Amino acid sequence: MVRALFGKKMDDRGSALLTVVLVVGFLTILATTLLYISGMNFQIKQADYQNKKSFYTGETGLEEIRAHLMEDASEAAARAYNNVTMRFVTTGTKDFRQLEFNNEFVAQLQEIWDNKLAMEGNNWRNLIRNYYTNGTDPSSPYTMRLDPNDIYDSNHDGVLDSSELLEVHDADGYIRIRGMRMTYTNPDNGRTTIITTDMDVYAPNLDWSAEGTSKELAAGVTAEMAARRTTVDVSKCVRYANWKKE
């Protein structure tokens, strides 16, 4: 009677095949989506890697310049120290000695740079390119160059002299080199990184206190005092200022 009312039993042959097709299709879509997301993630990481590579390579050029400036700061500090210690007992308080040392340091640093500039036509652009970056390494796959910002070329003559590029702070014991710009183009993808910054070259802070007995002071600076005063971390003497990455 039931078979008569509802007809023959429903035929479910082929449903398993349909289920398999649907599952395979779903898995295919899922796998394709995962592959696409993985590919996008790889591209993003690759782009980030190339950007960081460009940045750190460009920063390497600035660090090379900074290392040369540390050498100049060390030489200027040694000269200034010798000059001030000759007057150590008669120059009053430790603060006054530090002030004298700051002025001497700035004067000696300017003299060092003036001697180097004389060989480069008094042009800071040439000095930075030819001396502080050691020129261009022909074996390097990278193309790096450093140009002080043209905004400081007030005479518009293509020459950056000390009056245009330097800020001199005698009392504070430092000189600021303005408008450095390091440009690096990654040969792998053509991406360009530009880092602009100023560099401050500071006189080190030394211990100018008058320790010891009056007899020791009358004899001059003791070896122990001299050792303390001449132990300097030169890396802290050269600092970045107004740093910006493009």
Side-chain angles (χ1 to χ4, degrees):
M1 174 114 15
V2 173
R3 187 179 295 274
L5 289 173
F6 294 100
K8 297 181 179 180
K9 185 179 179 181
M10 294 183 64
D11 189 356
D12 60 357
R13 287 178 298 178
S15 60
L17 178 61
L18 179 60
T19 301
V20 171
V21 170
L22 290 176
V23 171
V24 170
F26 173 76
L27 291 176
T28 301
I29 294 172
L30 181 61
T32 302
T33 303
L34 290 175
L35 284 173
Y36 175 76
I37 293 173
S38 298
M40 289 293 294
N41 189 45
F42 174 78
Q43 291 178 7
I44 292 171
K45 287 185 176 181
Q46 187 68 12
D48 181 62
Y49 167 76
Q50 293 294 345
N51 287 336
K52 287 180 179 178
K53 180 180 178 181
S54 298
F55 165 70
Y56 286 118
T57 305
E59 193 179 47
T60 298
L62 287 174
E63 282 296 305
E64 186 178 346
I65 295 169
R66 184 167 173 263
H68 283 293
L69 292 175
M70 287 180 198
E71 294 176 3
D72 293 344
S74 179
E75 183 179 349
R79 293 183 187 180
Y81 175 79
N82 289 335
N83 291 343
V84 174
T85 51
M86 292 176 64
R87 309 184 298 273
F88 182 82
V89 179
T90 60
T91 47
T93 66
K94 65 177 183 179
D95 292 334
F96 186 76
R97 295 184 191 109
Q98 181 66 49
L99 180 61
E100 279 213 343
F101 177 70
N102 289 347
N103 289 323
E104 279 284 347
F105 174 83
V106 168
Q108 293 297 330
L109 189 60
Q110 286 179 303
E111 182 178 331
I112 291 170
W113 287 345
D114 286 343
N115 291 335
K116 292 177 179 177
L117 280 168
M119 297 183 291
E120 301 294 344
N122 197 36
N123 189 341
W124 267 93
R125 181 182 284 111
N126 292 340
L127 177 64
I128 291 172
R129 283 176 175 169
N130 299 335
Y131 177 76
Y132 288 110
T133 61
N134 290 330
T136 302
D137 182 1
S139 64
S140 173
Y142 309 113
T143 54
M144 291 184 293
R145 61 188 179 87
L146 184 135
D147 295 316
N149 197 330
D150 289 340
I151 192 172
Y152 298 113
D153 185 10
S154 58
N155 298 326
H156 305 289
D157 57 0
V159 175
L160 289 175
D161 57 35
S162 295
S163 64
E164 294 172 311
L165 195 67
L166 302 183
E167 288 181 9
V168 180
H169 302 263
D170 303 84
D172 296 322
Y174 78 96
I175 299 178
R176 171 167 292 178
I177 306 174
R178 304 183 300 178
M180 289 190 174
R181 183 177 63 198
M182 175 63 73
T183 301
Y184 166 71
T185 301
N186 190 327
D188 297 332
N189 55 20
R191 294 179 182 273
T192 298
T193 297
I194 301 175
I195 302 174
T196 57
T197 185
D198 299 335
M199 280 195 186
D200 294 343
V201 185
Y202 276 86
N205 270 321
L206 304 180
D207 178 12
W208 292 105
S209 59
E211 298 176 357
T213 64
S214 57
K215 182 178 179 181
E216 289 173 333
L217 292 176
V221 182
T222 66
E224 182 183 354
M225 293 165 64
R228 285 200 306 272
R229 293 190 179 103
T230 54
T231 302
V232 176
D233 184 0
V234 185
S235 64
K236 296 180 180 179
C237 294
V238 184
R239 312 170 194 174
Y240 293 113
N242 303 320
W243 188 96
K244 184 175 71 172
K245 172 182 173 289
E246 299 176 28

